[in-house]
């Protein structure tokens, strides 16, 4: 496996044994990840995590006078932490401190890209803020159980994320309540046009619809004195001037732009982007086609995973995607991509590849956030219960059932799952996988909904019988 990108400096001979042991641990973690013949067992993951921490302690003793050094040991150590973090998610220990590592790493990348892009939605920041607060709680709760070295590292990384998050929140704080919906709409349109631009067949009609929406928003913004950049020259000259201005705004973003400037820049960017993608129609220069195709493939695979997550995702699968994206991201210089002979990408190629890169990081973030705190060994049971609950809720929403008999299929399935328990627990062989509480809670919810539906059906049936007998008596007395 290729290491994550990192500075290569000479390795201290004293650190060679540490590197060798970390490489062995990483190999074992990768084998654990790749083995689909059985589920990942908690004890295997915890044993490998402990081996990593042992090497961290030894490394800290060697580096007492060179804390800031970064060499191959650090890149392999990061791989080990990343893999163990994802493995903790796989075994259902989502709320434990080691599981935080992968999430924080992805969040840091995502926030850096959001800051660089200078356009984002307040809802994006709200989600990240809430998740970072959760991470803080998991670390606080794990002080007694986990290594102080790991907790210190996580605390520092979360602090970096919170600092960037604060800067992003400050930028949007200039938006007034009446301008915020228009800002959100412009962000949505820009992202939607970028998504259209990466389709196998360029959707001209759909992109033209976005142009009409942009024109409508521009008219709504005129009373605020906000307009897209205008030129008296030809269409080509106008596009060239707008593109140049966009390059300048990307290279030198204002630290805390006022609302007018903030929205005006985003509106301009939308019009420039519309013109560029209409002109290029998805064509990527041959010099950047390989990188583009790689990013497109990663994005497509991640989106497919997000659709089938509950049934097919093993969180450790995300490791290879993270590393591939990191390697592409690290090749950029001053934010841009360069070809084999050192020429920078044009604005169109740059923004297209950055969209794919950022979209992929955002999808990984979503997959990590939506990971259920249930071991993959219990996921088949958990997913069946999720489906059962959805069905029962839908039945209840549509007026319930006419008779208890209609609930038999649901009751039989619930009872069959309930009968799988041994001494009140769901066992896999002799193991008790993590996530018992989540599965039990979901099972109880399903039983409660089914019980309510049965009672409603019985009450309804009793009422009809009572009404029917009274009606019959009335007929007899006539």
């Amino acid at each position: 496996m290729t290491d994550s990108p990192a500075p290569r400096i000479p390795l201290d001979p004293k650190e060679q044994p540490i590197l060798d042991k970390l490489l062995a641990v990483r190999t074992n973690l990768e084998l654990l990840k790749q083995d689909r013949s059985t589920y990942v067992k908690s004890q295997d993951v915890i044993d490998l995590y402990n081996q990593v921490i042992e090497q961290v302690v030894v490394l800290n003793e060697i580096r007492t006078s060179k804390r800031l050094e970064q060499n191959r040991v650090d890149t392999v150590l990061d791989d080990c932490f990343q893999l163990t973090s994802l493995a903790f998610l796989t075994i259902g220990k989502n709320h434990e401190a080691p599981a935080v590592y992968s999430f924080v790493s992805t969040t840091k990348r995502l926030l850096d890209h959001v800051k660089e892009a200078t356009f984002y939605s307040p809802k994006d920041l709200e989600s990240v803020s809430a998740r970072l607060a959760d991470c803080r709680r998991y670390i606080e709760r794990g002080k007694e159980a986990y290594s102080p070295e790991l907790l210190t590292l996580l605390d520092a990384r979360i602090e970096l994320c919170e600092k960037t998050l604060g800067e992003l929140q400050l930028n949007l704080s200039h938006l007034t309540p009446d301008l915020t919906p228009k800002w959100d709409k412009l962000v949505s349109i820009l992202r939607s046009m970028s998504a259209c631009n990466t389709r196998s067949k360029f959707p001209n009609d759909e992109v033209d619809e976005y142009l009409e929406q942009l024109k409508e928003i521009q008219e709504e913004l005129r009373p605020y004195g906000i307009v897209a950049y205008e030129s008296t020259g030809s269409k080509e000259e106008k596009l060239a001037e707008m593109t140049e201005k966009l390059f300048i705004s990307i290279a030198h973003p204002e630290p805390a732009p006022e609302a007018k400037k903030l929205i005006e820049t985003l509106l301009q960017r939308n019009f420039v982007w519309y013109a560029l993608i209409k002109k290029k129609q998805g064509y990527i220069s041959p010099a950047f086609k390989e990188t583009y195709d790689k990013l497109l493939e990663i994005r497509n695979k991640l989106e497919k995973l997000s659709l089938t997550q509950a049934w097919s995702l093993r969180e450790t699968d995300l490791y290879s995607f993270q590393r591939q994206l990191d390697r592409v991201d690290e090749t950029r210089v001053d934010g841009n991509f360069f070809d084999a002979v050192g020429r920078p990408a044009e604005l169109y190629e740059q923004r297209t590849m950055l969209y794919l890169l950022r979209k992929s990081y955002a999808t990984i973030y979503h997959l990590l956030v939506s990971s259920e705190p249930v071991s993959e060994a219990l996921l088949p049971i958990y997913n069946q219960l999720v489906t059962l609950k959805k069905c029962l809720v839908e039945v209840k929403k549509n007026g319930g059932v006419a008779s208890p008999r209609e609930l038999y299929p649901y009751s039989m399935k619930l009872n069959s799952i309930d009968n799988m328990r041994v001494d009140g627990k769901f066992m896999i062989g002799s193991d008790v996988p993590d996530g018992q509480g989540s599965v039990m809670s979901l099972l109880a919810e399903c039983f409660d909904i089914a019980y309510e539906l049965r009672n409603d059906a019985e009450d309804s049936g009793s009422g009809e019988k009572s009404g029917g007998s009274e009606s019959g008596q009335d007929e007899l007395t006539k």
Side-chain angles (χ1 to χ4, degrees):
M1 182 198 124
T2 306
D3 286 333
S4 306
R8 297 287 188 249
I9 63 173
L11 183 67
D12 185 334
K14 293 180 182 177
E15 295 185 11
Q16 186 61 51
I18 298 174
L19 176 61
D20 293 340
K21 289 178 181 177
L22 287 175
L23 285 169
V25 172
R26 188 179 71 178
T27 299
N28 288 331
L29 283 164
E30 288 181 321
L31 291 173
L32 203 66
K33 171 177 78 75
Q34 294 165 5
D35 184 6
R36 295 282 182 170
S37 63
T38 183
Y39 67 92
V40 177
K41 296 180 176 62
S42 297
Q43 194 55 51
D44 292 340
V45 174
I46 292 170
D47 288 345
L48 290 168
Y49 162 77
N50 289 332
Q51 291 177 40
V52 174
I53 293 300
E54 286 174 10
Q55 298 312 307
V56 171
V57 173
V58 177
L59 184 63
N60 285 342
E61 291 173 355
I62 293 174
R63 290 188 180 177
T64 51
S65 60
K66 45 180 181 178
R67 292 293 186 191
L68 301 180
E69 182 166 323
Q70 290 285 307
N71 56 38
R72 193 173 178 226
V73 172
D74 300 275
T75 63
V76 177
L77 180 60
D78 183 53
D79 288 340
C80 290
F81 273 132
Q82 200 82 357
L83 277 164
T84 53
S85 179
L86 292 168
F88 264 73
L89 293 175
T90 303
I91 61 176
K93 293 183 179 291
N94 299 40
H95 302 159
E96 302 291 323
V100 170
Y101 188 94
S102 180
F103 173 79
V104 174
S105 297
T106 300
T107 301
K108 179 67 170 64
R109 290 271 183 181
L110 191 57
L111 287 174
D112 286 343
H113 274 284
V114 167
K115 182 178 179 181
E116 180 185 16
T118 68
F119 70 89
Y120 44 91
S121 165
K123 291 181 180 179
D124 298 335
L125 304 186
E126 289 170 10
S127 169
V128 173
S129 179
R131 296 299 172 180
L132 288 176
D134 289 339
C135 291
R136 284 280 186 203
R137 286 198 296 275
Y138 302 154
I139 291 174
E140 186 66 27
R141 195 171 62 194
K143 281 187 174 179
E144 300 298 323
Y146 294 101
S147 160
E149 285 84 4
L150 172 67
L151 300 180
T152 301
L153 175 61
L154 290 174
D155 186 71
R157 293 199 171 192
I158 291 174
E159 193 172 327
L160 282 174
C161 290
E162 289 172 338
K163 181 182 177 182
T164 305
L165 181 65
E167 294 171 3
L168 296 171
Q169 289 170 330
L170 178 62
N171 277 355
L172 293 192
S173 67
H174 297 276
L175 292 173
T176 56
D178 53 332
L179 286 176
T180 299
K182 295 175 176 58
W183 167 266
D184 288 342
K185 184 64 176 175
L186 287 171
V187 170
S188 175
I189 290 174
L190 189 55
R191 288 175 175 172
S192 297
M193 287 195 297
S194 295
C196 289
N197 184 49
T198 58
R199 291 186 193 172
S200 56
K201 183 179 180 181
F202 189 81
N204 276 292
D205 292 344
E206 187 174 339
V207 172
D208 287 341
E209 288 177 11
Y210 290 125
L211 175 62
E212 294 307 312
Q213 292 180 37
L214 287 174
K215 289 178 179 177
E216 290 176 9
I217 295 174
Q218 179 170 239
E219 291 306 311
E220 293 172 2
L221 290 172
R222 282 189 186 279
Y224 298 90
I226 300 171
V227 293
Y229 182 69
E230 295 178 347
S231 170
T232 56
S234 66
K235 184 177 179 181
E236 289 74 18
E237 290 171 340
K238 180 177 179 180
L239 177 58
E241 289 181 42
M242 291 175 72
T243 303
E244 182 181 359
K245 186 166 184 178
L246 180 58
F247 256 131
I248 293 171
S249 70
I250 292 171
H252 306 286
E254 296 183 30
E258 300 298 331
K260 180 176 181 294
K261 181 66 177 177
L262 194 66
I263 294 186
E264 195 172 76
T265 302
L266 184 54
L267 183 62
Q268 292 166 6
R269 179 177 289 191
N270 269 281
F271 278 115
V272 170
W273 192 231
Y274 167 81
L276 278 174
I277 65 175
K278 282 290 285 186
K279 179 181 178 182
K280 293 286 189 176
Q281 298 276 308
Y283 175 77
I284 299 293
S285 167
F288 297 97
K289 192 69 167 66
E290 184 179 348
T291 303
Y292 171 81
D293 288 342
K294 181 178 183 179
L295 289 171
L296 184 65
E297 182 183 10
I298 293 171
R299 193 279 307 265
N300 291 343
K301 286 182 177 178
L302 285 169
E303 288 195 336
K304 184 177 179 181
L305 264 180
S306 69
L307 294 174
T308 60
Q309 177 184 7
W311 301 97
S312 63
L313 176 67
R314 174 182 273 187
E315 282 79 2
T316 48
D317 295 341
L318 296 176
Y319 172 77
S320 60
F321 294 115
Q322 288 174 326
R323 285 309 183 225
Q324 289 179 72
L325 292 171
D326 292 349
R327 284 195 279 275
V328 173
D329 202 12
E330 295 284 347
T331 62
R332 296 195 297 141
V333 179
D334 295 328
N336 204 352
F337 298 89
F338 286 77
D339 64 14
V341 295
R343 291 173 300 191
E346 296 294 330
L347 180 63
Y348 174 75
E349 279 83 11
Q350 179 197 10
R351 305 310 292 180
T352 300
M353 290 190 290
L354 278 175
Y355 164 75
L356 291 172
L357 187 61
R358 290 164 181 165
K359 178 65 176 177
S360 295
Y361 276 125
T363 306
I364 290 175
Y365 171 88
H366 167 75
L367 289 168
L368 291 173
V369 166
S370 53
S371 172
E372 298 291 350
V374 175
S375 167
E376 69 170 350
L378 293 182
L379 270 181
I381 298 172
Y382 184 84
N383 290 332
Q384 289 178 59
L385 288 170
V386 168
T387 303
L388 266 172
K389 182 183 174 182
K390 287 179 180 177
C391 292
L392 288 167
V393 168
E394 199 62 31
V395 169
K396 188 174 182 180
K397 191 186 299 182
N398 289 311
V401 293
S403 71
R405 186 177 295 276
E406 293 180 30
L407 289 172
Y408 283 177
Y410 303 107
S411 298
M412 288 176 65
K413 185 61 180 176
L414 284 172
N415 286 325
S416 70
I417 292 176
D418 191 32
N419 290 335
M420 293 170 66
R421 293 193 292 168
V422 178
D423 295 330
K425 299 173 184 176
F426 289 98
M427 307 281 288
I428 305 295
S430 58
D431 296 332
V432 183
D434 284 278
Q436 299 284 329
S438 297
V439 177
M440 300 289 191
S441 175
L442 195 52
L443 180 62
E445 285 183 59
C446 290
F447 271 121
D448 287 343
I449 298 171
Y451 182 72
E452 289 175 18
L453 288 168
R454 183 179 294 106
N455 281 348
D456 290 343
E458 289 174 349
D459 291 344
S460 176
S462 298
E464 288 177 5
K465 288 179 181 179
S466 175
S469 61
E470 289 177 7
S471 174
Q473 289 174 0
D474 289 341
E475 290 293 326
L476 290 171
T477 56
K478 280 183 180 178

